[in-house]
Amino acid sequence: MKKWACLLVVTMMVPLILSACGSGKTDGSAKGDESKEVVELKFTAWGDVNSGQSEVKLAEEFNKTHDNIKVKFEPVPGDGYGTKLTTSLAAGNAPDVFLIGEGDFYKYVDKGVIEPLDSYLAEDKSFDTGLFQQDLLNMGRIHDKLYYLPKDFNPLSLWYNKAMFDEAKMEYPNENWTWDDLMDTAQKLTVKDGSGKYVKFGFNATKWEYPIYTYLWSNGADISNEDGTKAEGYMNSDKTIAVLEKYIAMSKGANKVSPTPQDAETLGGDSSMFMTNKLAMMVTGRWVKSDLDKSDVNYGTALIPKGEGGNRAGIIAAAGWAMNANGKHKKEAYEFMKWLSGTEAQKLRSENGFVLPATVKELEEVKSKEIADKPVIEMMQYAKKPVTLISGNGPIFVEEFGKALEKILLDRSSIKDALDEAAKAIDSKIK
């Protein structure tokens, strides 16, 4: 999350033409000039100027059509975004508008630093939130108030390396695949050299919680109850333990098909392994297209496999624009938020195919043209909410579950003991 700067108020002379947001005008005479305030806003998102080219262009267009508001884009590298945003919010100099990932929606609302938008929308008859996909819009509705306007979204899906499948003369993944089918195929695509060292892997059983959730959910397990208030009996249930044992076995043991997290990091990460034909399959989001399309890798997408009983589960990664609750120019910030989430912004961001538009009409246009990555869009209908989107306790679950996974993967604890400890810690913190 990002650092924001204080708002500056500058006095300027009104131009001879009306502002697009117009409050001030002249009659064209020499003495008709009137002065008006120009409000300066700053907004931020993770990444850099190159990765945020759409935001740069949107800011430029907004400035051209809004004489009384000038906006400046200040991106922050992803690794340091959360720290800088939190620090700037605490110091009282955060940007007026900032981007938040869905996993942190509750966290920032509960900190009291996000302005609710309901009153602004109620007074604004020109902006209809019906243009958004309502499921995405409602992701930003917390404690019965709307805090975020959608930027874009990405459903997770299965990505596969066609060259590795072709070399092994194997059929590509299809909509009827189960996790058992994936496991069988991954074993055939996993290769050792003459010394017994793994040189190619069939699948990446990552430690990132989102793909793990899809595996747990599709097999009838979860890490919390329905309202995210209890871990005991869920995170450490017999069912969750059994399902997680199968998942962990993918990267451990004699029949492993996945690199360990340490292996993957050493080899440059799953995208790098995928592009160099060292990894056949991974569950991830469409953002990987940015790197994949720069390489020579021949890839495809498929639905995430089904689990027990034919259940399939997915998850949506999304982002929303938020207003600084302590900002000095909230009405102007609201106007800019509408621009950042509106139709033109949705079209612009989805042009490169790395993200999907959050608006109904624009998504339908993408669906009508999409062929190669059609399964990515289809995964929308199987999406479930992670605990971070159903409860303010979400970060507690994520932190303790992550600690448990680390202990398990480093052989510091059995799966049962690690999950028992995590469940106990979570419920204790909640109480």
Side-chain angles (χ1 to χ4, degrees):
M1 321 310 159
K2 308 247 177 192
K3 160 188 167 190
W4 294 31
C6 299
L7 303 176
L8 302 175
V9 180
V10 181
T11 302
M12 297 180 66
M13 300 302 295
V14 179
L16 294 177
I17 59 173
L18 288 174
S19 158
C21 294
S23 66
K25 57 183 179 180
T26 65
D27 60 8
S29 65
K31 60 181 180 180
D33 290 343
E34 301 175 7
S35 64
K36 75 174 178 181
E37 287 186 338
V38 174
V39 172
E40 295 189 0
L41 303 177
K42 293 185 179 180
F43 75 109
T44 188
W46 51 83
D48 52 31
V49 173
N50 291 328
S51 63
Q53 288 181 358
S54 295
E55 269 48 64
V56 172
K57 185 173 182 179
L58 287 167
E60 292 173 349
E61 291 300 317
F62 184 87
N63 287 335
K64 289 178 183 178
T65 55
H66 295 73
D67 289 343
N68 64 320
I69 308 173
K70 296 302 175 186
V71 298
K72 182 180 180 181
F73 181 43
E74 295 186 342
V76 175
D79 290 344
Y81 185 75
T83 300
K84 288 193 175 183
L85 179 59
T86 300
T87 300
S88 64
L89 286 165
N93 59 1
D96 305 275
V97 176
F98 45 86
L99 190 65
I100 299 294
E102 84 295 331
D104 290 326
F105 276 7
Y106 263 86
K107 180 173 75 174
Y108 283 93
V109 168
D110 287 345
K111 286 178 180 291
V113 297
I114 309 293
E115 178 80 2
L117 304 174
D118 303 87
S119 61
Y120 300 89
L121 291 167
E123 295 174 5
D124 186 357
K125 305 303 180 184
S126 66
F127 188 70
D128 181 10
T129 55
L131 63 89
F132 297 112
Q133 300 168 62
Q134 293 305 290
D135 285 348
L136 286 178
L137 180 69
N138 288 331
M139 286 172 68
R141 194 176 299 281
I142 297 170
H143 307 316
D144 296 323
K145 292 183 179 180
L146 184 68
Y147 288 90
Y148 302 91
L149 290 183
K151 174 181 177 282
D152 51 39
F153 76 105
N154 258 307
L156 269 62
S157 61
L158 181 65
W159 296 68
Y160 60 92
N161 183 313
K162 290 185 175 181
M164 293 181 68
F165 275 80
D166 292 343
E167 183 180 2
K169 295 182 172 53
M170 301 190 68
E171 293 185 2
Y172 300 147
N174 60 63
E175 63 182 14
N176 297 316
W177 259 33
T178 65
W179 278 105
D180 287 341
D181 292 325
L182 181 146
M183 186 66 178
D184 291 341
T185 302
Q187 286 180 339
K188 296 171 183 175
L189 293 170
T190 300
V191 178
K192 298 179 183 179
D193 62 16
S195 65
K197 178 182 178 181
Y198 287 91
V199 292
K200 293 184 179 181
F201 295 94
F203 179 67
N204 183 29
T206 174
K207 66 176 181 179
W208 180 30
E209 68 268 18
Y210 272 19
I212 297 176
Y213 291 160
T214 69
Y215 187 79
L216 293 174
W217 292 338
S218 63
N219 287 291
D222 207 338
I223 66 170
S224 76
N225 62 348
E226 290 184 356
D227 59 3
T229 58
K230 186 175 178 59
E232 186 70 38
Y234 297 89
M235 181 175 288
N236 62 342
S237 70
D238 292 342
K239 185 67 173 178
T240 301
I241 292 171
V243 174
L244 193 59
E245 282 176 346
K246 292 183 66 176
Y247 184 86
I248 296 297
M250 293 185 194
S251 59
K252 297 179 71 174
N255 295 318
K256 79 173 190 176
V257 299
S258 167
T260 64
Q262 293 82 3
D263 291 337
E265 185 175 344
T266 300
L267 294 170
D270 54 6
S271 293
S272 178
M273 295 175 64
F274 191 86
M275 290 185 288
T276 54
N277 298 327
K278 295 176 182 176
L279 178 65
M281 294 178 284
M282 57 184 177
V283 172
T284 189
R286 208 179 193 202
W287 51 80
V288 296
K289 283 176 64 69
S290 176
D291 291 328
L292 301 187
D293 289 346
K294 295 174 186 177
S295 71
D296 296 327
V297 65
N298 186 13
Y299 65 89
T301 59
L303 299 177
I304 293 175
K306 294 180 286 187
E308 294 180 5
N311 295 319
R312 194 192 313 275
I315 193 169
I316 287 178
W321 294 108
M323 185 196 304
N324 186 348
N326 296 312
K328 297 179 181 178
H329 301 287
K330 295 180 182 179
K331 289 185 178 179
E332 291 82 359
Y334 167 71
E335 286 298 318
F336 184 52
M337 287 179 69
K338 291 193 300 179
W339 181 271
L340 288 173
S341 290
T343 299
E344 294 307 314
Q346 299 292 337
K347 287 181 179 179
L348 180 62
R349 292 192 195 96
S350 61
E351 282 179 355
N352 57 20
F354 301 152
V355 296
L356 294 171
T359 44
V360 175
K361 182 179 178 182
E362 284 62 46
L363 181 62
E364 289 302 317
E365 291 179 359
V366 172
K367 286 181 179 179
S368 67
K369 302 173 184 177
E370 188 61 69
I371 297 176
D373 294 340
K374 187 177 179 181
V376 178
I377 300 175
E378 291 178 346
M379 279 305 303
M380 288 174 58
Q381 63 186 302
Y382 302 104
K384 293 185 62 176
K385 287 185 177 182
V387 66
T388 46
L389 273 176
I390 61 176
S391 168
N393 301 317
I396 300 174
F397 281 86
V398 173
E399 179 184 8
E400 295 300 330
F401 186 55
K403 290 179 181 177
L405 286 174
E406 183 175 359
K407 292 175 185 176
I408 294 166
L409 291 168
L410 294 176
D411 293 322
R412 293 176 180 170
S413 175
S414 68
I415 293 176
K416 184 181 186 307
D417 288 345
L419 295 183
D420 279 342
E421 184 178 347
K424 182 178 180 180
I426 291 168
D427 288 353
S428 176
K429 289 182 178 181
I430 291 175
K431 290 177 182 178

